[in-house]
Every structure is written in structure tokens, then in C-alpha cells.
Amino acid sequence: MKLIAQKEAQDFVQTGAKEFRYNREFRLTPGAKDVFTEAGVKLVFDEGAPAPAAPAAAGSPAAVAAGSTDDDKLWRSPETANLKAQICEMGRRMWIREYCDGNGGNISCRLGPDRFLCTPTGVSKGFMTPDMLCMVDGNGKQLAGTWKRTSEFMSHAAIYKSTPDAFSVAHAHPCYAGAFAVKGIQPPPRLIPELEVFVGTIAYAPYMHPGSPEMADEIFKRAPQHQSIIMGNHGVITWGKSVEDAYFKMEITDSYCRTIIHAQSLPGGVAIPAEGMSELLKLKQGIGLPDDRYDLKPAQLAEVDPWAEVCGQHGCSSPVNAWNPQSATETAPAELEALVKKLTEEILKNLSK
Ligand SMILES: [Zn+2]
């Protein structure tokens, strides 16, 4: 709840804006209403608008223009405008792919040394416009933009701090990767080349309060070697070398998890052989992407049985390989043969008596 009193209203009037949009998150004092009326500022109640939808009062952290000239220049540059458009487009894709529910998810990218562009809080990522984005520093202090920055920016900042290669970060709550997040299972490797090369091992970070310094610490540790991290009981955070690349990691991660979940309803299970894994990792190293397995020998790469990982260790009553139609038809005649042999022996024994 944000209280708009006479003082806040006067500050707002000074920005020159002629419309004050608010919703039930705002409480306007009668004095504030008088100030708006006298100044000819129209009050617009917009229920769908999130809490910070109204232009921020001058002097508040979310004031429209950036404080310093350099920041203002950066904020209004064509490069920033281009990145804002890219972030809105990736938000639209995340929403279309059902990766973000309600107002969930957030995207950011680097703008310059200690300057970042990020999405606002309280808005569907599928319907953002460039004017909604925010500029912040590495400590999350908002420097420009009329909307309040995402509350989860510090998880993004942790990646920028620990991983100089990260240009952009995306966070969402996609359902298939989310299934792994709520089961506390790290998706196993060795199943699909696309993931091995373009994402690598998906890391798993235990649950910490969203946006907290503890969450940031967990992300900080894992980001240099993992471009995709499942956050326990929460969602996924990915980084990339461009805004679209960060989004791609999200898409590949969720697709991979979706395939595993569907595959579990089928019998059997195979994995990429050791040599295949070595080849994929060589290819990946050539592209210059990070991976924590470059030092492993082929045999070590094949040590993980992906299907045992998914089904074996978390109370699954039927190991995936338990039902194998091929071996079932092979063993059945053998058992039958043994039975026939045993019966024949019995009969012969009885006959000879
Ligand atoms: Zn989240």
C-alpha cells in the first residue's frame, strides 16, 4: 500500500504529468486529491495497473529521468532503446510459451559498467512496453524508469558479478522444469545433444526466499559453470551472451525437462554413449561455452545413468528399466523350458517306480 499525501501529490505535479494512474494499492489523502484537482491533474483509477503504475513522484527512486547526465544519456540512447525492445519481445515469447504465470518472471541485460536494464515488477511479461523498463546499478538501486524494478534483480546481479560472460539473464517459472524444481531433482545429462552443447549440465540450487541475498549467493556460486539453474521450489534462471540467448537457454531447459517427463511413461531408456558425449563437449568447447565436464574422460562422462537418476533415487517404486519387453520374451521361454524339464523328470521318475 502506497500512501499519496499532499507532499507526494505536489512532487508529482512538479513533474508536469497531467494524468495520475493508480489502483487499490494506492491510498490518496483528501489533501492530495485537492492538490491534483487544483493543478488539473486527472486521476485515473486503473484496476489492472500494478502498484507502481503511476509515474513516480519526483525525488523518489523511480523518478522518470536518470540522475546524472551520463546516466540520462545512456538511458535515452538508441542502444538502450534497442535492448528495451528486445527484452519486451523475449517477455512476449516467455508468456506465449507459458513460462511465466501472472506477473512472474523477469529479464535483464547489461547496459554499461555497473548499469543494467531490467523488467518492472507487477506486470505480465507478455505485455510489456519499452517505457516500462528500469535502469538499475549492481546493488539494485533504481536509476531511471517510471515503474519499480523487479524484486528479484539481486539474483540477476549475482550472475553479472560472478560471470563476466553473461550479458543477459532470464528468470521464469516454466512448468516442466518447475516439476523438477518441486521434486528437488537435478535433470540428468546424456539424453539430448541440444542441451549438452547449448546449455550443459542444468544446476540445482536449494530453495531460498526469492530475491533474498541467500538466493543470490546460491546463484553466484553456480553461474560461472552453468547457464541454466533450477531454483528449488521456485523456477529457472538462465544467462546468455545476448537477450535472445538467455531466453534460448530457458526454452531448451524446459523442452528438455518436458521430454524427460513424457519419456517416463514409456518403457526402457537409452543414453548418449561415452564417445558421443566427448564429441559434443569438444564441439561445445570450440564454441567457447562454459561446462564443468571438460576435464572428464569419456568413461567418466558415461558414468551417469540418466534414467536411474530420474527414477531411482526419489522414491519411485518402479525403476524405468524394470519392464523391458525384449528381455521379457527372452526369459519366458527359458522358464517354461525349465518347468517342462522338471515335470518330465518327475513323470519319468514316477513311471520308473
Ligand atoms: Zn520467480
Side-chain angles (χ1 to χ4, degrees), residues 104-106 152 171-173 210 231 234-235:
N106 31 73
E152 292 186 85
H171 163 63
H173 309 146
M231 304 148 94
H234 181 177

Side-chain angles (χ1 to χ4, degrees), residues 34-169:
D34 289 345
V35 172
F36 283 133
T37 312
E38 276 166 33
V41 172
K42 208 168 132 197
L43 295 179
V44 181
F45 183 79
D46 179 1
E47 192 160 9
S60 80
V64 185
S68 78
T69 332
D70 283 351
D71 278 342
D72 198 44
K73 236 162 109 186
L74 179 64
W75 178 239
R76 295 174 196 281
S77 71
E79 291 77 18
T80 299
N82 187 299
L83 290 166
K84 283 179 180 175
Q86 287 183 37
I87 288 181
C88 291
E89 166 60 15
M90 294 315 135
R92 194 184 67 84
R93 291 196 209 171
M94 288 210 310
W95 185 81
I96 287 174
R97 296 295 299 256
E98 299 182 4
Y99 296 164
C100 35
D101 44 323
N103 296 324
N106 31 73
I107 308 171
S108 68
C109 72
R110 291 187 194 269
L111 279 184
D114 200 37
R115 291 293 179 270
F116 307 87
L117 196 59
C118 74
T119 50
T121 185
V123 64
S124 165
K125 300 305 163 299
F127 301 88
M128 291 183 298
T129 47
D131 59 296
M132 294 176 177
L133 299 192
C134 321
M135 182 164 77
V136 296
D137 67 14
N139 293 319
K141 185 179 170 220
Q142 187 155 349
L143 304 167
T146 56
W147 293 59
K148 197 176 157 201
R149 66 129 168 117
T150 166
S151 61
E152 292 186 85
F153 177 74
M154 294 320 288
S155 295
H156 296 229
I159 295 182
Y160 295 124
K161 259 179 224 156
S162 71
T163 316
D165 269 355
F167 176 79
S168 176
V169 174

